[in-house]
Amino acid sequence: MKALEVEALKKVYPDFTLGPLSFGVEEGQITGLIGRNGAGKSTTLKAMMGLISCEGRVRVFGKDFSEEEFAVKERLGYVGGGFRFYPAKPLSAVARAAARFYPHWNEETFLHSCNEYGLILSKRVRELSEGMKMKFSLALALSHGAKLLLLDEPTSGLDPLSREDFCDTLLTLKGQGVTILFSTHITSDLMRVADHILYLSNGKLLANEPLAGLLGRYRVQRFASFEEGHAAGAIGVKPTKMGLEGLVTGFEGREATLDEVMIHLEYAQKETI
Amino acid sequence: MKALLQKEFTLSLHPMAIVFLCFAALVFVPNYPYEVIFFFSGLSVYFICMTARENGDLLFTCSLPVTKRSVALARILTAVILQCALLIFTALCIGVKQIVYPRELLVNLAANSANLAFCGFGGLLLGTFNLVFFPLYYRDPNRVGIPFLIATAVQFGLIALMIILRHMPFYAPLTVPDPTGWGAKLTVLLCGLTLYAAMTFSAARLSLRTFERVDL
């Protein structure tokens, strides 16, 4: 079953157009939404939450967002770019205010999550590290029984150890049946946790496939010159520290990382323009 | 809506909003432009909106299971609750003043006298602020200052007009202490409160419609 279905999502700005995007997120999977800064990742997530006005349809666990906004939002947990809300308020006050909106809020789950993540409720939001803020957001989302988490750049601003810690948390949540869609430009995190990749470039979906499939399709090959690269049909040939490199399909070259796939595909896009 | 109002009062309310309610007691100052009491009410709304912006309040609230329209309505209702409290406190202070003060001190030489009609003028000033401020604010909630400046300028224009009118002969029944001229004063009071309700209702309708189209 699909936890999230997006159909022809479109938002037009004077200098940027997002979409139309159509994709789905399988239940119980971790899906990474990747793309460079300004590709439209945050806009996509906000559009799905109804935070910006746009065209298209969004269904969460089969429920239409525009028709059943309350029911959909009860099953959703959205965290936009770290928890930057109410920095001067204690965590307990924010949690108490949020709890009133959810009929299925479970105080026991909340306290358990706080305990597990080492959150002290008397602390103020501004006293938390970025990693702890993220965990507070997760604790809030899990306490109202969110089965789909939309996370916007949750790991940016975190040090490598905190990111590792956060990825472990996501894997634990996945084990509990929570579906996660998270946008990031730190693709190494996705290499660890993601099952599926949505790759957004300049507002358009460039790839929508399992991580293994995307990585398996491309290899990185080194070339002596651009001409050699183009003759080999390489994608996005560009200079690197080791010489010229590009993506190729086939068996030659070495395995590509998600970072390399993104960089070379992005480079190829730029060349086309 | 109850949860939204509770959230407004626990997370979004600026402490000065409560302090400004005490400014109703300014009616005890002899010969003072009491109309500024209602300017401070606008200032408290401005502080609430500023604090909300700094706290990322609208984004947080709109991601909760509520509609954007109800989020905007909750903030306007919070302002209405504060404004009604201010009108009631002002009326109470005026009542006490009418009893305690000597009659010669009940006539205000600076502007409107603190009497039954004054709360009607207050309603007009508060309603005007709402009608100008909220629809402009909800066009772009990141810009709080400009809507506040425009709303305040209109409010002060009205106050200036009231001060000028106060010296007109036909205005005399409204300057005397209560209960003299209660018919004219009661008419002003009722008109003021009706206008307050009508202007705030219009402000809410315009704001809700505008905010729905805003990108957060």
Side-chain angles (χ1 to χ4, degrees):
Chain A
M1 187 195 176
K2 293 239 188 282
L4 174 71
E5 292 163 89
V6 174
E7 235 174 73
L9 193 74
K10 190 178 178 189
K11 172 74 185 175
V12 181
Y13 291 105
D15 53 352
F16 176 75
T17 301
L18 175 78
L21 302 178
S22 297
F23 61 86
V25 172
E26 284 296 328
E27 192 174 349
Q29 283 200 345
I30 298 180
T31 300
L33 179 62
I34 60 168
R36 65 187 304 172
N37 291 338
K41 302 186 293 293
S42 300
T43 309
T44 306
L45 292 179
K46 281 185 175 179
M48 288 191 298
M49 281 298 292
L51 297 173
I52 57 176
S53 56
C54 60
E55 297 167 33
R57 290 185 72 173
V58 175
R59 271 191 297 274
V60 176
F61 296 106
K63 289 184 164 62
D64 194 282
F65 188 94
S66 54
E67 287 165 15
E68 297 177 79
E69 189 172 344
F70 294 99
V72 167
K73 279 183 166 177
E74 274 178 29
R75 302 197 72 183
L76 265 181
Y78 169 79
V79 183
F83 195 89
R84 292 166 300 177
F85 311 113
Y86 314 108
K89 297 286 179 188
L91 304 188
S92 54
V94 179
R96 222 175 13 251
R100 293 190 189 106
F101 291 88
Y102 296 101
H104 302 112
W105 178 271
N106 189 328
E107 191 64 20
E108 243 175 68
T109 309
F110 176 67
L111 294 174
H112 176 76
S113 302
C114 289
N115 199 28
E116 200 179 317
Y117 299 152
L119 291 162
I120 299 162
L121 290 173
S122 56
K123 275 197 172 185
R124 293 174 194 281
V125 173
R126 65 169 172 237
E127 292 171 323
L128 300 183
S129 66
E130 289 304 311
M132 293 305 267
K133 281 180 188 168
M134 234 28 249
K135 287 181 175 174
F136 179 56
S137 310
L138 289 181
L140 287 179
L142 297 174
S143 306
H144 65 79
K147 288 292 172 195
L148 172 64
L149 297 181
L150 302 180
L151 311 175
D152 190 8
E153 306 272 4
T155 52
S156 51
L158 301 190
D159 62 75
L161 278 177
S162 303
R163 277 177 22 222
E164 184 78 5
D165 196 22
F166 182 75
C167 288
D168 288 342
T169 309
L170 292 189
L171 287 172
T172 310
L173 293 177
K174 183 192 167 188
Q176 293 165 2
V178 177
T179 309
I180 297 162
L181 171 64
F182 85 95
S183 75
T184 183
H185 52 260
I186 307 171
T187 50
S188 55
D189 296 334
L190 294 175
M191 294 286 281
R192 280 204 59 227
V193 298
D195 303 295
H196 199 94
I197 295 293
L198 297 168
Y199 175 23
L200 213 54
S201 177
N202 203 23
K204 305 284 180 289
L205 209 52
L206 220 59
N208 175 9
E209 58 187 301
L211 174 66
L214 184 65
L215 293 179
R217 181 142 32 94
Y218 299 110
R219 296 182 77 81
V220 177
Q221 200 176 339
R222 201 164 295 156
F223 301 100
S225 64
F226 281 104
E227 289 71 27
E228 188 193 344
H230 291 142
I235 301 163
V237 179
K238 68 176 287 296
T240 67
K241 194 170 78 174
M242 316 300 284
L244 294 174
E245 285 184 349
L247 289 183
V248 289
T249 50
F251 301 103
E252 302 230 353
R254 62 173 171 81
E255 279 183 7
T257 62
L258 195 51
D259 245 350
E260 287 170 325
V261 171
M262 195 171 116
I263 289 166
H264 289 290
L265 286 181
E266 204 66 47
Y267 216 77
Q269 282 279 105
K270 211 162 71 181
E271 281 172 355
T272 321
I273 296 163
Chain B
M1 187 49 69
K2 191 181 158 198
L4 271 170
L5 284 174
Q6 282 176 323
K7 190 234 72 185
E8 284 290 313
F9 278 90
T10 52
L11 295 182
S12 312
L13 194 73
H14 193 282
M16 283 310 286
I18 304 298
V19 175
F20 286 148
L21 290 181
C22 306
F23 282 26
L26 280 172
V27 295
F28 290 114
V29 180
N31 299 322
Y32 184 80
Y34 304 131
E35 288 81 359
V36 293
I37 293 170
F38 303 107
F39 156 74
F40 288 112
S41 166
L43 198 58
S44 70
V45 173
Y46 168 71
F47 282 156
I48 290 171
C49 294
M50 275 286 282
T51 315
R53 184 182 74 180
E54 301 313 310
N55 284 334
D57 174 78
L58 286 174
L59 187 62
F60 176 79
T61 314
C62 288
S63 64
L64 295 168
V66 287
T67 58
K68 278 170 91 174
R69 290 173 77 91
S70 55
V71 172
L73 183 61
R75 171 116 338 131
I76 296 173
L77 282 179
T78 305
V80 168
I81 291 169
L82 290 170
Q83 289 165 349
C84 288
L86 181 68
L87 281 172
I88 292 168
F89 287 153
T90 309
L92 288 174
C93 290
I94 290 171
V96 172
K97 186 181 181 182
Q98 298 280 338
I99 296 165
V100 175
Y101 272 45
R103 200 170 164 80
E104 60 273 20
L105 279 182
L106 292 177
V107 177
N108 184 9
L109 300 176
N112 277 303
S113 299
N115 55 29
L116 196 60
F118 181 68
C119 289
F121 291 126
L124 177 65
L125 290 170
L126 292 173
T128 305
F129 177 85
N130 291 346
L131 187 59
V132 179
F133 177 79
F134 283 114
L136 287 175
Y137 166 66
Y138 279 113
R139 264 162 62 175
D140 182 0
N142 285 321
R143 295 183 66 180
V144 192
I146 299 290
F148 174 70
L149 278 178
I150 297 172
T152 305
V154 175
Q155 224 182 15
F156 273 104
L158 262 179
I159 292 174
L161 186 68
M162 284 174 185
I163 292 174
I164 294 166
L165 287 175
R166 183 239 174 277
H167 298 285
M168 301 291 167
F170 64 87
Y171 206 85
L174 301 176
T175 59
V176 290
D178 292 335
T180 315
W182 69 272
K185 288 176 187 170
L186 195 63
T187 308
V188 170
L189 176 68
L190 291 177
C191 287
L193 295 182
T194 308
L195 280 171
Y196 170 71
M199 286 196 274
T200 305
F201 180 74
S202 304
R205 278 193 65 171
L206 287 169
S207 305
L208 266 53
R209 204 183 312 150
T210 311
F211 187 54
E212 206 161 35
R213 293 193 297 266
V214 166
D215 295 337
L216 293 172

